[in-house]
Amino acid sequence: MSFGVCYYPEHWPPARWTVDAQMMRAAGLTLVRIGEFAWANMEPAEGQYAWDWLDRAIETLAGAGLQLILGTPTATPPAWLTRAYPDILRVDANGRPRDHGTRRHYCPNSPTYQAYSAGIVTAMLGRYGAHPAVVGWQIDNEFGGGQTARCYCDWCAAAFRRWLQARYGSLAALNEAWGNVFWSQTYSDWAQIAPPGARVDKRSPSHELDYFRFSSDAWVAYQQLQIDLVRRYAPGRVVTTNFMGLFPDLDQYDLAAPLDLVSWDNYPTGNPERWRPRLYAPGRDSRRNDPTYAYDVGEPIITSLAHALTRSLKQRPFWVMEQQCGQINWGDVNPGVRPGSSRLWAWHAVAEGAAAVLYFRWRATRFAHEQYHSGLLHHDGSPDVGYGDHLRLEAERALLDEVMAAPCPPAGVGLLFDFADLWALQLQPHRADFGYLRHLFVYYEALQRLGIPVDLVSPAGDLSPYRLLIAPTAHLAGEALAGRLADYVAGGGTLLLGVRSGFKTPSNLVTADPLPGELQHLVGATVTDWQSLPPEVGWPLVAETPALAALGEDPAGFWVERLRPGKAQVLVRYAGGGAALTMNERGPGRVYYLGWYPPAGQARTLLAYLASQTGLQPIASDLPPGLLALRRAQFIFLLNFTDRPLTATPAGYTITVAPRDVWVGIAEQPDR
Amino acid sequence: MSFGVCYYPEHWPPARWTVDAQMMRAAGLTLVRIGEFAWANMEPAEGQYAWDWLDRAIETLAGAGLQLILGTPTATPPAWLTRAYPDILRVDANGRPRDHGTRRHYCPNSPTYQAYSAGIVTAMLGRYGAHPAVVGWQIDNEFGGGQTARCYCDWCAAAFRRWLQARYGSLAALNEAWGNVFWSQTYSDWAQIAPPGARVDKRSPSHELDYFRFSSDAWVAYQQLQIDLVRRYAPGRVVTTNFMGLFPDLDQYDLAAPLDLVSWDNYPTGNPERWRPRLYAPGRDSRRNDPTYAYDVGEPIITSLAHALTRSLKQRPFWVMEQQCGQINWGDVNPGVRPGSSRLWAWHAVAEGAAAVLYFRWRATRFAHEQYHSGLLHHDGSPDVGYGDHLRLEAERALLDEVMAAPCPPAGVGLLFDFADLWALQLQPHRADFGYLRHLFVYYEALQRLGIPVDLVSPAGDLSPYRLLIAPTAHLAGEALAGRLADYVAGGGTLLLGVRSGFKTPSNLVTADPLPGELQHLVGATVTDWQSLPPEVGWPLVAETPALAALGEDPAGFWVERLRPGKAQVLVRYAGGGAALTMNERGPGRVYYLGWYPPAGQARTLLAYLASQTGLQPIASDLPPGLLALRRAQFIFLLNFTDRPLTATPAGYTITVAPRDVWVGIAEQPDR
Amino acid sequence: MSFGVCYYPEHWPPARWTVDAQMMRAAGLTLVRIGEFAWANMEPAEGQYAWDWLDRAIETLAGAGLQLILGTPTATPPAWLTRAYPDILRVDANGRPRDHGTRRHYCPNSPTYQAYSAGIVTAMLGRYGAHPAVVGWQIDNEFGGGQTARCYCDWCAAAFRRWLQARYGSLAALNEAWGNVFWSQTYSDWAQIAPPGARVDKRSPSHELDYFRFSSDAWVAYQQLQIDLVRRYAPGRVVTTNFMGLFPDLDQYDLAAPLDLVSWDNYPTGNPERWRPRLYAPGRDSRRNDPTYAYDVGEPIITSLAHALTRSLKQRPFWVMEQQCGQINWGDVNPGVRPGSSRLWAWHAVAEGAAAVLYFRWRATRFAHEQYHSGLLHHDGSPDVGYGDHLRLEAERALLDEVMAAPCPPAGVGLLFDFADLWALQLQPHRADFGYLRHLFVYYEALQRLGIPVDLVSPAGDLSPYRLLIAPTAHLAGEALAGRLADYVAGGGTLLLGVRSGFKTPSNLVTADPLPGELQHLVGATVTDWQSLPPEVGWPLVAETPALAALGEDPAGFWVERLRPGKAQVLVRYAGGGAALTMNERGPGRVYYLGWYPPAGQARTLLAYLASQTGLQPIASDLPPGLLALRRAQFIFLLNFTDRPLTATPAGYTITVAPRDVWVGIAEQPDR
């Protein structure tokens, strides 16, 4: 597996297919994804299938030596289905059903839609499940994309009640778990419970968090319906679906679990617009690109974070199912992309753990919503910028193949990522600019800027490989989480907990215990009070440890928690009283609690200290802004995302990387 | 009556109630409000009451010597009621009914809801109406809060038509009063009239103003339903409800009239976000706190205005039913509150006329929407910052009790405040940044900065005590208002009228007479033309009176009206022609008309002049920004809302007040 | 025909009508528009007509020597009609019907509404069609105003399907024309097709473009229904309707075709707020007035563009049916208007081709939505600023009459304007700040600043008179357009094509041919790639022609297209490679293709060059900003829209124009 492309043969005359297949092969591509969205072509009327065109397309591509990924077309029900069975339509939080003419306008809980989905997928599998060139199946497309993760239809209401009955057993248990005594929200009949739609303001965060969980579970179940069919009718084929990087509305760990591999859709230039406002600190969070970087490469640390999250889903190499290779069409400016940027993105993906990269799309479409989205070819079939970039990659193919076949061993640092925590803080940030991902990004960016490899990791994942485990906010903390973290520390691990950890129970109530609730014994200290602070207000800090003296140079702000140490040692205190950073020795391990939300500089100081305490080495020293240092197995990478040459020093060698270029080295002593 | 707290025993285990009651008493608290929102606990199923828990809670609290205010729980209908009778639900302007899971989602005009409200309130009164420890009743909670003042359901449509029939008698009269000849809006059948919902754009302002009036009346009637029950079944008990300061959607004077006393809910740190954009001049109207003030005290002049409005409702001392005592949860930043701020707010309330202050809430709730709102105790039951502050107040209890028992005699200056005027200007501001409250605040802030005590007063109130009466905009001016103002002036009063006075009839049509319409004879001049001006444009002014020379230093802008004097004298004229400020002697009284919208500096100049003309003395001279000077009967107060010591000179004494501290003096010669 | 006024006699007591009529005549007015919006007065109940009041109003006005334009009142159905037949109501894109209490809340496709419209119009015509003083009829009022151009009701859905059947004949043809193969959007039954409402996101731009076309056609048909009645029952009378300048939602050319003359409603001070954000370049596009101009005159180049578009609809003189004469009520500030500004607007209209100017309105209304809109008289009947201004115009009447009777011969430059192109780019701007009108305005403003007269012209209009034809974006380019442009060039014309020309087919698919698609042979070059660029990025330019050297001083940005010349000559190239401006000689004509989106300075350089190439002379040289130079037949005008005297040099004479004043000259050698 290595490079491929997304292709929509139904958009072009069959006579062109042969030309396209030959051009693909000539460019060195080996994988083609087809089929997604083509339901109306496969089944033009209910029960009447039309396979001839797809037979011919598959034969043409396979005949040219290409391997195929078939996408099931369930993201786009045909008009005859939608019109005959409007109960399949997704209903938004305002109670308005969506309609034909877009994608993802269906409800995963509709039994009607489930039945028709099974029908088309079974028919496709019957036709192509055993085809030797069809090596894999992509289930549906971008689950949850376009704000479609949650539906509020009557099917969902009923399914939600069943889900709650299974979770809580009794109404009394549910009323207690949600704190329904508040504002007479108590339910006396299951039938009284509805999805938390827009008709209700000041909604219960426990009710909503469970609706987020339920909605995520609904997609997992809908996906499983299709996975089961593929497993049955196409044994031995790879099953995947295409994720969307940092997409926060579904629990990606749950979606990934039953798949053979995960893939995601990587559009780097769109990321700053979508993610800077949610990731960068207030004041740095405009939708514009950071001027450090070349204007047409996106924000590489954001892209890296998305790669890292995807990699963490199964803790092994992943695919990029859709890789941007020219301008996109869904941003505010959609800047044109120069030669070299698409190649740089491919190397970036590979360095982060990609085992295959498929470009989106082969040729720009003439039709409908994506007309202005580029492909490897222009609308008129002539090569666009990404095509030239790929030819350059072909010349680097030997090294690329070697890297893409390499595993992704765990990094030395793990960053705990939990979707339920993200949702709980999204529902109640307390201050508008507090975000779970924004907070996590402080730590992630600091590690990237230090050149220290880092993984994301689910609380349910294997924590043992990490020398240092960072939980920016272990927010919903029950006994189970406390136990897993205690085990990790008992195994010699170093754990750093950040603000708002241990604040809530798993059902999103505030703990009645001293903070950090279930984690207080681990921390060996309690939080006596916490405050949100306006931008102009800071609490001066005093470092008790010379190695952390730099932390005292700036005050703590934004969010501060004052600790009263029990068994823990105080490393930094507030000049106004109370501990600010504590360290608790627990057998062979250590637990740090950082009582304030650190800005970028303090985060780097603290993480450099913890790296040195845990024996972690950076990939390169003196990393300038704009240069990323990454490692995959024995390979190390320096990627320059600026328009200037940049220099760094990996393993003692001084390396200068040209603008928008990459340098690859082999680590003499592979190290975590 | 003095200090108390809001308590929700149903949120905590009964075993804790005894501890809480003892802690309350130990802290010196004497009043506890309970019961509001607990309908589902009182009546878990239709007609099945469960009083045991409430009996026990009341006995526990009363047993500890606490006096109780019972809140009727009608702000939060239980799920069984909402599900069985969806016609009780409020419908928004877009026609969407609200739903269970929040509060205030009912319609006051629903006969169903009225019946069930009477049911639960009667049952509560039957149980506790004669209880010796239950000294008062709070009707419902925050009428109109959360944008719920107006409903657009079918019950409301029908009630509105009845209300109109009663008001106008005939359709012909209504068509004329609303100017329905415009755009064929004429009605030929009462049934054609609907609430002015969002399906209609460019709505008639006469139609809308009457809907605002009708909606306000509907809440007054709904409140009366409960008041009547309390009067019948709990004779001798205090009846109140909790107002919301500057809340503009209901006529607070009408709501207050049938109550024994008024109370309000005071959250100073949330005020700047909510009110600065509506009160400060364009350019000063960000949602951020004025940096003059300490970051955690709010904006004291805004808080003062809300106290003053509440005090004016019955022109006597009031309660603070909910007093912020730590961070809130509904702002953008919700800054933490330091020791001392909560004490300062309590003194501020007392200086403005509070007879009792109840903190909201006893202990931070673990549940639902208000999880991040603080109480006197933390979630874990340990004391939070407000608890410590209250202990400090207990040490000052003798003086506090003396002040809280004092009356609130009228100030020397009255500021006319009329909800119908506010609504009319809200519906047709002409320029987006003109607001009734913003305009009024210019005068209010100027008086506060001068240290001159000021009352708000309804046009229907007793105007006679005031030496100076300011009507920033007496906008809807019929014969009745003109008569009341003429009587006031005939009694020797000095009246200042501001721009846009006399512009409209009471049914919100423009007067056909020369401006200021019904008030022109009082003014002794007419407005020949008026203009809205962009920020960069000003009309130079020339003062004809040396004492007002400072007014000529800056031009008039924003809104200018050119006057042609009749009998009135010209004090300031526009350099380009026409009078700008006139004074008309009417027997023993005087009527000033200020023809432009003054910025803060000009307002202070003018009001200092008028104070000197009317013999009004400031409480203190040389008041620096951030220091408030207030008077209540013989007591005078200097309150420092900054982080610096501030000095002023009350009655010839030089007083320095520490940061966030208060100084109290006794006036030697109580003076108005 | 010359000056007149809009009058609503039904708003005032009949006794006043005589006074008003005399005042109108005394002021020199000769035309009065009445009747629009008065349906409820004409037909108070179904089938019961009340003509007495209107008889009397007409006799009063006619008796004073005034000529009348009657407006049909169909913009405002009476309440009895709306309540009895709610199927007449317009339904918005969210599916919500509008309601009584505003205007334009009806659907033009409702057969019910069509029947009742015919009823009232026939009745009016029966009464007044032959009245000698009634010289013209205005059909309805401001078609499409207030975002009412498109309705989404069931009548519309059915009519849309019929429209599509007529346009495409078969579903197969429609599916192909819309590219419905994308996302399974294929229709298998006509009944599946719905209007593209808000329930669908990521809508097909082909579907939407056809809905825009259909909606425009629906209004044309609805207007025709009334035109036919006027033609039948009021022969010899002028038929018009009042347009709204740059209003983009309906195809004004189609609406204008069947009318005798076009008129429009000109509100200069409101234009900057509404149009600056859509016309000025990003960075200059605030809603505030350009400070070059006096604060109370609006933005004259925007006003000129609206005049020019209106003039182009029939390529002859037009009326201003509503002319602002004081402050308006629908902006953010609505600044007051000083003496002189209203006169300047009248001269401006006349210079641009007006044959009549009617002020809106006679007297400010006391009622409803437009209370704060000024008239010639104040609310109290006293003269307002516009009345005085008109008296000044009366003193200039001889010259005015001469100019108003003059024709409007074509200018030397034509600017191609096409509503379907505008809609296509509105639906898919690719970058948020690309707008069809914004792009066109670059060229229009440059010509105005150069003092070169320019017309707008429809692609279906007569192109032959123009020496220079500019198509900023000939976007949807089929064979028909390519043929018309080729004919123009074959006739010796010079054609300038701008970016994104030839990109699409008429059904809004991207062409599969090399760009500019159907126009490539005309251009003699192909676009090999195009890019949107962020603000900070530019492509350096190199001029190959000394006369265009100034173009190389700044880089190209915003939108760039790289050309590969065939037969065309390269005038400017990108330093990084590729042609940027080409010129193709075709027989006696020339075709230029400008490969980037020019900022104002470059546009002026290029147009000065093309003017000199085509022998076009500016009206005046050395035109300073704020001074407009216009020509109508032999008359030339210099209009000063600033607060400073300004000087320019028309035909060798140095002329200084006072602030907000006009200078009129006679061209010695009338020249195009």
Side-chain angles (χ1 to χ4, degrees), chain C residues 150-230:
Chain C
R150 292 156 202 146
C151 172
Y152 297 82
C153 76
D154 291 342
W155 290 122
C156 284
F160 182 44
R161 289 189 282 263
R162 289 194 301 273
W163 186 93
L164 290 172
Q165 285 168 326
R167 185 178 184 87
Y168 293 109
S170 73
L171 267 182
L174 178 145
N175 281 324
E176 186 175 348
W178 286 6
N180 282 338
V181 67
F182 191 87
W183 287 358
S184 279
Q185 292 176 358
T186 304
Y187 295 104
S188 53
D189 189 314
W190 290 101
Q192 291 163 354
I193 305 175
R199 287 173 53 198
V200 183
D201 61 354
K202 304 191 172 84
R203 294 182 283 273
S204 158
S206 297
H207 184 178
E208 275 203 287
L209 178 60
D210 271 352
Y211 205 72
F212 287 13
R213 286 176 169 133
F214 156 78
S215 299
S216 184
D217 287 358
W219 288 106
V220 172
Y222 178 77
Q223 178 186 248
Q224 193 61 45
L225 181 158
Q226 296 198 28
I227 291 175
D228 290 346
L229 294 171
V230 178

Side-chain angles (χ1 to χ4, degrees), chain C residues 280-508:
Chain C
Y280 276 85
R284 293 175 66 199
D285 59 353
S286 84
R287 300 181 64 195
R288 295 290 306 282
N289 210 57
D290 182 331
T292 304
Y293 306 112
Y295 74 89
D296 63 342
V297 299
E299 293 251 356
I301 297 182
I302 296 178
T303 306
S304 265
L305 178 61
H307 280 307
L309 174 58
T310 308
R311 189 176 69 233
S312 81
L313 298 182
K314 300 191 85 70
Q315 299 192 300
R316 59 175 185 264
F318 58 91
W319 288 16
V320 177
M321 188 61 90
E322 301 181 5
Q323 172 62 55
Q324 178 179 352
C325 58
Q327 96 282 341
I328 59 168
N329 72 321
W330 45 268
D332 268 1
V333 170
N334 300 312
V337 168
R338 293 172 292 173
S341 296
S342 177
R343 168 181 171 261
L344 187 64
W345 293 328
W347 272 110
H348 190 187
V350 165
E352 284 283 8
V357 174
L358 287 80
Y359 299 107
F360 185 85
R361 52 199 290 153
W362 174 244
R363 180 172 171 182
T365 189
R366 300 177 54 219
F367 311 136
H369 181 65
E370 291 181 350
Q371 288 177 343
Y372 283 93
H373 199 294
S374 64
L376 290 175
L377 306 189
H378 282 119
H379 293 95
D380 67 0
S382 62
D384 202 346
V385 62
Y387 190 87
D389 264 35
H390 184 71
L391 294 182
R392 196 165 157 204
L393 285 168
E394 281 299 313
E396 304 167 314
R397 195 53 182 267
L399 178 57
L400 275 166
D401 283 347
E402 212 180 328
V403 177
M404 289 167 95
C408 298
V413 185
L415 205 45
L416 215 61
F417 185 98
D418 184 70
F419 282 91
D421 281 353
L422 184 157
W423 297 333
L425 281 159
Q426 176 183 323
L427 292 168
Q428 292 196 311
H430 189 54
R431 60 182 296 154
D433 47 10
F434 195 108
Y436 180 85
L437 277 170
R438 193 196 302 276
H439 187 206
L440 180 142
F441 191 70
V442 171
Y443 295 92
Y444 185 80
E445 188 195 16
L447 289 162
Q448 286 283 24
R449 294 290 302 280
L450 290 167
I452 296 173
V454 53
D455 285 347
L456 266 62
V457 58
S458 156
D462 180 8
L463 309 178
S464 64
Y466 300 104
R467 294 191 192 173
L468 173 61
L469 182 67
I470 302 172
T473 293
H475 193 58
L476 304 169
E479 283 177 30
L481 178 68
R484 288 186 63 78
L485 295 178
D487 290 347
Y488 167 75
V489 175
T494 294
L495 172 66
L496 171 64
L497 288 163
V499 295
R500 305 180 76 166
S501 289
F503 195 75
K504 291 273 188 99
T505 70
S507 73
N508 214 6

Side-chain angles (χ1 to χ4, degrees), chain B residues 94 199 428 510 532 536, chain C residues 96-97 288 333-334 366 371:
Chain B
N94 286 301
R199 287 174 53 198
Q428 292 197 310
V510 181
S532 166
E536 70 277 13
Chain C
R96 296 188 312 186
R288 295 290 306 282
V333 170
N334 300 312
R366 300 177 54 219
Q371 288 177 343

Side-chain angles (χ1 to χ4, degrees), chain A residues 309-341:
Chain A
L309 174 58
T310 308
R311 188 177 68 232
S312 81
L313 299 180
K314 299 191 84 72
Q315 299 191 299
R316 58 175 185 262
F318 58 90
W319 288 16
V320 177
M321 188 62 89
E322 301 181 6
Q323 171 63 54
Q324 178 179 353
C325 58
Q327 97 281 342
I328 58 168
N329 72 322
W330 45 269
D332 269 1
V333 170
N334 299 312
V337 169
R338 293 172 292 174
S341 295

Side-chain angles (χ1 to χ4, degrees), chain C residues 25-161:
Chain C
R25 285 300 294 153
L29 304 177
T30 56
L31 279 169
V32 187
R33 185 192 67 176
I34 63 171
E36 59 156 27
F37 305 140
W39 192 339
N41 295 64
M42 299 179 194
E43 190 181 4
E46 182 165 359
Q48 299 178 19
Y49 298 100
W51 299 118
D52 287 2
W53 71 274
L54 189 50
D55 290 350
R56 181 169 167 190
I58 289 174
E59 291 322 311
T60 305
L61 295 162
L66 293 155
Q67 292 189 308
L68 295 161
I69 308 297
L70 286 198
T72 68
T74 47
T76 50
W80 57 259
L81 175 55
T82 307
R83 290 291 177 256
Y85 305 100
D87 69 306
I88 71 166
L89 291 170
R90 193 173 69 81
V91 171
D92 68 21
N94 286 302
R96 296 188 312 186
R98 300 286 104 188
D99 203 4
H100 184 78
T102 179
R103 57 178 176 182
R104 311 214 57 71
H105 44 294
Y106 69 89
C107 169
N109 285 310
S110 161
T112 311
Y113 200 66
Q114 291 165 358
Y116 280 88
S117 298
I120 184 65
V121 172
T122 302
M124 258 186 109
L125 283 161
R127 190 89 181 176
Y128 307 112
H131 195 293
V134 177
V135 298
W137 290 77
Q138 173 190 296
I139 308 293
D140 204 283
N141 178 71
E142 295 187 345
F143 281 123
Q147 313 241 333
T148 63
R150 292 156 202 146
C151 172
Y152 297 82
C153 76
D154 291 342
W155 290 122
C156 284
F160 182 44
R161 289 189 282 263

Side-chain angles (χ1 to χ4, degrees), chain A residues 517-562:
Chain A
E518 292 282 345
L519 307 179
Q520 59 182 308
H521 302 296
L522 211 49
V523 170
T526 52
V527 172
T528 56
D529 68 284
W530 51 267
Q531 300 206 3
S532 166
L533 296 178
E536 71 276 14
V537 177
W539 284 13
L541 293 165
V542 179
E544 302 285 341
T545 313
L548 288 171
L551 285 183
E553 289 167 14
D554 293 305
F558 195 77
W559 191 280
V560 289
E561 300 182 350
R562 199 191 305 270

